[in-house]
Short mmCIF file of all heavy atoms in Angstrom, two decimals:
data_model
loop_
_atom_site.label_atom_id
_atom_site.label_comp_id
_atom_site.label_asym_id
_atom_site.label_seq_id
_atom_site.Cartn_x
_atom_site.Cartn_y
_atom_site.Cartn_z
N GLU M 41 78.59 143.87 -29.49
CA GLU M 41 79.50 144.79 -30.23
C GLU M 41 78.86 145.41 -31.48
O GLU M 41 78.10 144.69 -32.08
CB GLU M 41 80.76 143.97 -30.67
CG GLU M 41 81.84 143.89 -29.65
CD GLU M 41 83.04 143.16 -30.17
OE1 GLU M 41 83.62 143.64 -31.14
OE2 GLU M 41 83.32 141.98 -29.67
N PRO M 42 79.29 146.59 -31.83
CA PRO M 42 78.68 147.14 -33.17
C PRO M 42 79.35 146.37 -34.28
O PRO M 42 80.47 145.85 -34.14
CB PRO M 42 79.22 148.58 -33.09
CG PRO M 42 80.36 148.61 -32.15
CD PRO M 42 80.11 147.57 -31.12
N ARG M 43 78.66 146.35 -35.39
CA ARG M 43 79.12 145.50 -36.50
C ARG M 43 80.33 146.09 -37.06
O ARG M 43 80.48 147.22 -37.40
CB ARG M 43 78.00 145.50 -37.52
CG ARG M 43 78.14 144.42 -38.56
CD ARG M 43 77.14 144.55 -39.62
NE ARG M 43 77.48 143.59 -40.67
CZ ARG M 43 76.73 142.63 -41.15
NH1 ARG M 43 75.51 142.45 -40.60
NH2 ARG M 43 77.12 141.88 -42.07
N ARG M 44 81.37 145.16 -37.31
CA ARG M 44 82.53 145.60 -37.89
C ARG M 44 82.42 145.72 -39.42
O ARG M 44 82.01 144.80 -40.08
CB ARG M 44 83.67 144.57 -37.62
CG ARG M 44 85.04 145.07 -38.06
CD ARG M 44 86.12 144.07 -37.85
NE ARG M 44 86.35 143.87 -36.44
CZ ARG M 44 86.30 142.64 -35.93
NH1 ARG M 44 85.99 141.58 -36.61
NH2 ARG M 44 86.51 142.44 -34.59
N PRO M 45 82.67 146.94 -40.03
CA PRO M 45 82.43 147.05 -41.51
C PRO M 45 83.44 146.23 -42.22
O PRO M 45 84.60 146.15 -41.90
CB PRO M 45 82.57 148.55 -41.71
CG PRO M 45 83.33 149.04 -40.60
CD PRO M 45 83.17 148.15 -39.46
N ALA M 46 82.99 145.61 -43.35
CA ALA M 46 83.93 144.81 -44.18
C ALA M 46 84.92 145.66 -44.82
O ALA M 46 84.68 146.76 -45.33
CB ALA M 46 83.06 144.06 -45.19
N GLU M 47 86.17 145.16 -44.92
CA GLU M 47 87.29 145.83 -45.54
C GLU M 47 87.77 144.93 -46.67
O GLU M 47 88.05 143.79 -46.43
CB GLU M 47 88.34 146.15 -44.55
CG GLU M 47 87.94 147.16 -43.47
CD GLU M 47 89.07 147.30 -42.44
OE1 GLU M 47 89.99 146.46 -42.37
OE2 GLU M 47 88.98 148.27 -41.72
N ILE M 48 87.95 145.61 -47.81
CA ILE M 48 88.48 144.80 -48.97
C ILE M 48 89.73 145.48 -49.50
O ILE M 48 89.70 146.68 -49.80
CB ILE M 48 87.39 144.80 -50.10
CG1 ILE M 48 86.11 144.06 -49.59
CG2 ILE M 48 88.00 143.99 -51.23
CD1 ILE M 48 85.09 145.08 -49.22
N TYR M 49 90.85 144.73 -49.54
CA TYR M 49 92.10 145.29 -50.04
C TYR M 49 92.38 144.72 -51.45
O TYR M 49 92.25 143.52 -51.65
CB TYR M 49 93.25 144.88 -49.12
CG TYR M 49 93.14 145.41 -47.73
CD1 TYR M 49 92.42 144.79 -46.70
CD2 TYR M 49 93.79 146.57 -47.40
CE1 TYR M 49 92.30 145.24 -45.46
CE2 TYR M 49 93.73 147.10 -46.11
CZ TYR M 49 92.95 146.40 -45.13
OH TYR M 49 92.87 146.92 -43.86
N HIS M 50 92.67 145.61 -52.34
CA HIS M 50 92.94 145.17 -53.69
C HIS M 50 94.09 146.03 -54.28
O HIS M 50 94.23 147.20 -53.81
CB HIS M 50 91.73 145.24 -54.59
CG HIS M 50 91.86 144.48 -55.86
ND1 HIS M 50 92.42 143.21 -55.94
CD2 HIS M 50 91.60 144.80 -57.19
CE1 HIS M 50 92.47 142.81 -57.16
NE2 HIS M 50 91.92 143.75 -57.92
N CYS M 51 94.85 145.44 -55.16
CA CYS M 51 95.95 146.21 -55.80
C CYS M 51 96.18 145.71 -57.11
O CYS M 51 95.80 144.63 -57.52
CB CYS M 51 97.21 146.14 -54.90
SG CYS M 51 97.91 144.48 -54.86
N ARG M 52 97.03 146.47 -57.91
CA ARG M 52 97.42 146.02 -59.23
C ARG M 52 98.94 146.42 -59.31
O ARG M 52 99.26 147.56 -58.98
CB ARG M 52 96.70 146.64 -60.38
CG ARG M 52 97.10 145.96 -61.68
CD ARG M 52 96.32 146.52 -62.76
NE ARG M 52 94.91 145.95 -62.76
CZ ARG M 52 94.29 145.89 -63.88
NH1 ARG M 52 94.82 146.32 -65.04
NH2 ARG M 52 93.07 145.47 -63.89
N ARG M 53 99.77 145.48 -59.69
CA ARG M 53 101.17 145.66 -59.70
C ARG M 53 101.68 145.96 -61.06
O ARG M 53 101.18 145.50 -62.06
CB ARG M 53 101.85 144.39 -59.16
CG ARG M 53 101.36 143.99 -57.78
CD ARG M 53 102.01 144.66 -56.66
NE ARG M 53 101.55 144.31 -55.44
CZ ARG M 53 102.07 144.75 -54.27
NH1 ARG M 53 102.91 145.78 -54.30
NH2 ARG M 53 101.60 144.32 -53.16
N GLU M 54 102.83 146.67 -61.17
CA GLU M 54 103.54 146.98 -62.44
C GLU M 54 102.61 147.47 -63.54
O GLU M 54 102.59 146.94 -64.63
CB GLU M 54 104.21 145.65 -62.90
CG GLU M 54 105.09 144.96 -61.86
CD GLU M 54 106.38 145.62 -61.56
OE1 GLU M 54 106.91 146.38 -62.52
OE2 GLU M 54 106.91 145.58 -60.47
N ILE M 55 101.97 148.60 -63.23
CA ILE M 55 101.18 149.30 -64.24
C ILE M 55 102.18 150.20 -64.95
O ILE M 55 102.96 150.91 -64.34
CB ILE M 55 100.09 150.15 -63.55
CG1 ILE M 55 99.24 149.34 -62.61
CG2 ILE M 55 99.28 150.83 -64.61
CD1 ILE M 55 98.41 150.15 -61.67
N LYS M 56 102.03 150.27 -66.34
CA LYS M 56 102.98 151.08 -67.06
C LYS M 56 102.51 152.51 -67.12
O LYS M 56 101.86 152.98 -67.96
CB LYS M 56 103.08 150.51 -68.50
CG LYS M 56 104.01 151.25 -69.44
CD LYS M 56 105.44 151.20 -69.05
CE LYS M 56 106.19 152.27 -69.72
NZ LYS M 56 106.03 153.59 -69.19
N TYR M 57 102.81 153.14 -65.95
CA TYR M 57 102.40 154.60 -65.82
C TYR M 57 103.28 155.18 -64.66
O TYR M 57 103.91 154.40 -64.00
CB TYR M 57 100.91 154.65 -65.41
CG TYR M 57 100.24 155.96 -65.59
CD1 TYR M 57 100.38 156.62 -66.86
CD2 TYR M 57 99.45 156.60 -64.69
CE1 TYR M 57 99.73 157.79 -67.09
CE2 TYR M 57 98.83 157.74 -64.95
CZ TYR M 57 98.97 158.40 -66.10
OH TYR M 57 98.31 159.54 -66.36
N SER M 58 103.29 156.50 -64.61
CA SER M 58 104.22 157.07 -63.57
C SER M 58 103.49 157.16 -62.26
O SER M 58 102.29 157.52 -62.23
CB SER M 58 104.59 158.46 -64.00
OG SER M 58 104.92 159.22 -62.95
N LYS M 59 104.21 156.97 -61.13
CA LYS M 59 103.49 156.95 -59.85
C LYS M 59 103.09 158.38 -59.48
O LYS M 59 102.08 158.60 -58.79
CB LYS M 59 104.51 156.41 -58.81
CG LYS M 59 105.63 157.23 -58.44
CD LYS M 59 106.25 156.78 -57.17
CE LYS M 59 107.66 157.30 -56.86
NZ LYS M 59 107.97 158.72 -57.10
N ASP M 60 103.87 159.41 -59.96
CA ASP M 60 103.46 160.84 -59.66
C ASP M 60 102.14 161.20 -60.36
O ASP M 60 101.23 161.79 -59.74
CB ASP M 60 104.54 161.79 -60.05
CG ASP M 60 105.75 161.45 -59.28
OD1 ASP M 60 105.66 161.40 -58.02
OD2 ASP M 60 106.88 161.39 -59.85
N LYS M 61 102.04 160.73 -61.62
CA LYS M 61 100.83 161.01 -62.39
C LYS M 61 99.63 160.22 -61.83
O LYS M 61 98.48 160.75 -61.71
CB LYS M 61 100.97 160.75 -63.85
CG LYS M 61 102.05 161.58 -64.53
CD LYS M 61 102.27 161.14 -65.95
CE LYS M 61 103.56 161.70 -66.49
NZ LYS M 61 103.88 161.11 -67.79
N MET M 62 99.91 158.99 -61.41
CA MET M 62 98.85 158.20 -60.84
C MET M 62 98.37 158.74 -59.49
O MET M 62 97.17 158.56 -59.13
CB MET M 62 99.29 156.77 -60.66
CG MET M 62 98.31 155.74 -60.38
SD MET M 62 97.34 155.43 -61.78
CE MET M 62 97.72 153.79 -62.08
N TRP M 63 99.26 159.42 -58.86
CA TRP M 63 98.91 159.94 -57.48
C TRP M 63 97.81 160.95 -57.61
O TRP M 63 96.90 160.96 -56.69
CB TRP M 63 100.13 160.66 -56.85
CG TRP M 63 99.87 161.16 -55.55
CD1 TRP M 63 99.85 160.47 -54.33
CD2 TRP M 63 99.46 162.53 -55.14
NE1 TRP M 63 99.50 161.32 -53.24
CE2 TRP M 63 99.22 162.56 -53.80
CE3 TRP M 63 99.25 163.68 -55.95
CZ2 TRP M 63 98.86 163.71 -53.13
CZ3 TRP M 63 98.80 164.83 -55.23
CH2 TRP M 63 98.62 164.81 -53.88
N TYR M 64 97.77 161.76 -58.67
CA TYR M 64 96.67 162.75 -58.80
C TYR M 64 95.29 162.09 -58.80
O TYR M 64 94.36 162.56 -58.19
CB TYR M 64 96.84 163.59 -60.06
CG TYR M 64 97.98 164.61 -59.94
CD1 TYR M 64 99.19 164.44 -60.68
CD2 TYR M 64 97.94 165.66 -59.05
CE1 TYR M 64 100.18 165.36 -60.58
CE2 TYR M 64 98.93 166.56 -58.91
CZ TYR M 64 100.10 166.45 -59.69
OH TYR M 64 101.08 167.30 -59.56
N LEU M 65 95.22 161.01 -59.55
CA LEU M 65 93.98 160.20 -59.62
C LEU M 65 93.64 159.59 -58.26
O LEU M 65 92.43 159.63 -57.88
CB LEU M 65 94.06 159.13 -60.69
CG LEU M 65 94.12 159.65 -62.15
CD1 LEU M 65 94.69 158.63 -63.05
CD2 LEU M 65 92.64 160.02 -62.50
N ALA M 66 94.64 159.07 -57.59
CA ALA M 66 94.39 158.42 -56.31
C ALA M 66 93.89 159.49 -55.29
O ALA M 66 92.97 159.22 -54.48
CB ALA M 66 95.68 157.71 -55.79
N LYS M 67 94.41 160.66 -55.46
CA LYS M 67 94.03 161.76 -54.46
C LYS M 67 92.61 162.20 -54.81
O LYS M 67 91.80 162.60 -53.88
CB LYS M 67 94.98 162.94 -54.68
CG LYS M 67 94.63 164.15 -53.89
CD LYS M 67 95.32 164.04 -52.48
CE LYS M 67 94.88 165.25 -51.71
NZ LYS M 67 94.44 164.97 -50.44
N LEU M 68 92.20 162.16 -56.12
CA LEU M 68 90.88 162.56 -56.44
C LEU M 68 89.85 161.59 -55.85
O LEU M 68 88.83 162.06 -55.34
CB LEU M 68 90.79 162.47 -58.02
CG LEU M 68 89.44 162.74 -58.62
CD1 LEU M 68 89.05 164.21 -58.56
CD2 LEU M 68 89.45 162.37 -60.13
N ILE M 69 90.19 160.34 -55.85
CA ILE M 69 89.20 159.33 -55.46
C ILE M 69 89.07 159.13 -53.97
O ILE M 69 88.06 158.66 -53.44
CB ILE M 69 89.56 157.98 -56.00
CG1 ILE M 69 89.71 157.91 -57.45
CG2 ILE M 69 88.50 156.95 -55.73
CD1 ILE M 69 89.89 156.49 -57.91
N LYS M 70 90.20 159.54 -53.26
CA LYS M 70 90.18 159.26 -51.81
C LYS M 70 88.92 159.77 -51.11
O LYS M 70 88.56 160.93 -51.18
CB LYS M 70 91.35 159.94 -51.22
CG LYS M 70 92.20 159.14 -50.25
CD LYS M 70 93.29 159.93 -49.71
CE LYS M 70 94.55 159.71 -50.56
NZ LYS M 70 95.80 160.25 -49.92
N GLY M 71 88.20 158.84 -50.35
CA GLY M 71 87.13 159.30 -49.57
C GLY M 71 85.77 159.34 -50.28
O GLY M 71 84.78 159.74 -49.72
N MET M 72 85.73 159.02 -51.59
CA MET M 72 84.49 159.08 -52.30
C MET M 72 83.75 157.72 -52.20
O MET M 72 84.38 156.77 -51.88
CB MET M 72 84.74 159.30 -53.81
CG MET M 72 85.13 160.65 -54.13
SD MET M 72 84.99 160.72 -56.00
CE MET M 72 85.69 162.24 -56.30
N SER M 73 82.45 157.74 -52.49
CA SER M 73 81.76 156.48 -52.61
C SER M 73 82.16 155.90 -54.00
O SER M 73 82.60 156.63 -54.89
CB SER M 73 80.25 156.76 -52.65
OG SER M 73 79.91 157.46 -53.77
N ILE M 74 82.00 154.57 -54.08
CA ILE M 74 82.52 153.85 -55.24
C ILE M 74 81.84 154.33 -56.51
O ILE M 74 82.47 154.35 -57.63
CB ILE M 74 82.47 152.33 -55.01
CG1 ILE M 74 83.48 151.62 -56.00
CG2 ILE M 74 81.10 151.78 -55.07
CD1 ILE M 74 83.85 150.31 -55.58
N ASP M 75 80.60 154.63 -56.46
CA ASP M 75 79.87 154.98 -57.68
C ASP M 75 80.38 156.38 -58.18
O ASP M 75 80.59 156.56 -59.38
CB ASP M 75 78.32 155.13 -57.36
CG ASP M 75 77.72 153.82 -57.07
OD1 ASP M 75 78.25 152.83 -57.61
OD2 ASP M 75 76.72 153.77 -56.31
N GLN M 76 80.54 157.36 -57.22
CA GLN M 76 81.05 158.60 -57.62
C GLN M 76 82.46 158.54 -58.21
O GLN M 76 82.78 159.13 -59.22
CB GLN M 76 81.12 159.53 -56.39
CG GLN M 76 81.22 161.00 -56.74
CD GLN M 76 81.41 161.81 -55.47
OE1 GLN M 76 81.53 161.30 -54.39
NE2 GLN M 76 81.54 163.07 -55.70
N ALA M 77 83.28 157.62 -57.52
CA ALA M 77 84.65 157.40 -58.09
C ALA M 77 84.65 156.87 -59.48
O ALA M 77 85.36 157.30 -60.32
CB ALA M 77 85.36 156.45 -57.09
N LEU M 78 83.77 155.88 -59.71
CA LEU M 78 83.67 155.30 -61.06
C LEU M 78 83.24 156.34 -62.05
O LEU M 78 83.75 156.38 -63.23
CB LEU M 78 82.72 154.03 -61.04
CG LEU M 78 83.39 152.89 -60.34
CD1 LEU M 78 82.16 151.88 -60.16
CD2 LEU M 78 84.41 152.20 -61.10
#
Side-chain angles (χ1 to χ4, degrees):
Chain M
E41 272 181 66
R43 195 186 169 120
R44 187 184 292 124
E47 292 175 345
I48 301 98
Y49 295 86
H50 194 42
C51 67
R52 188 177 282 206
R53 305 277 182 180
E54 307 287 332
I55 306 165
K56 178 68 196 76
Y57 201 47
S58 158
K59 70 167 167 41
D60 298 311
K61 295 177 194 169
M62 192 70 117
W63 181 84
Y64 287 113
L65 288 160
K67 178 87 181 132
L68 175 73
I69 303 188
K70 225 181 267 194
M72 282 191 189
S73 69
I74 197 159
D75 292 332
Q76 196 189 1
L78 288 167

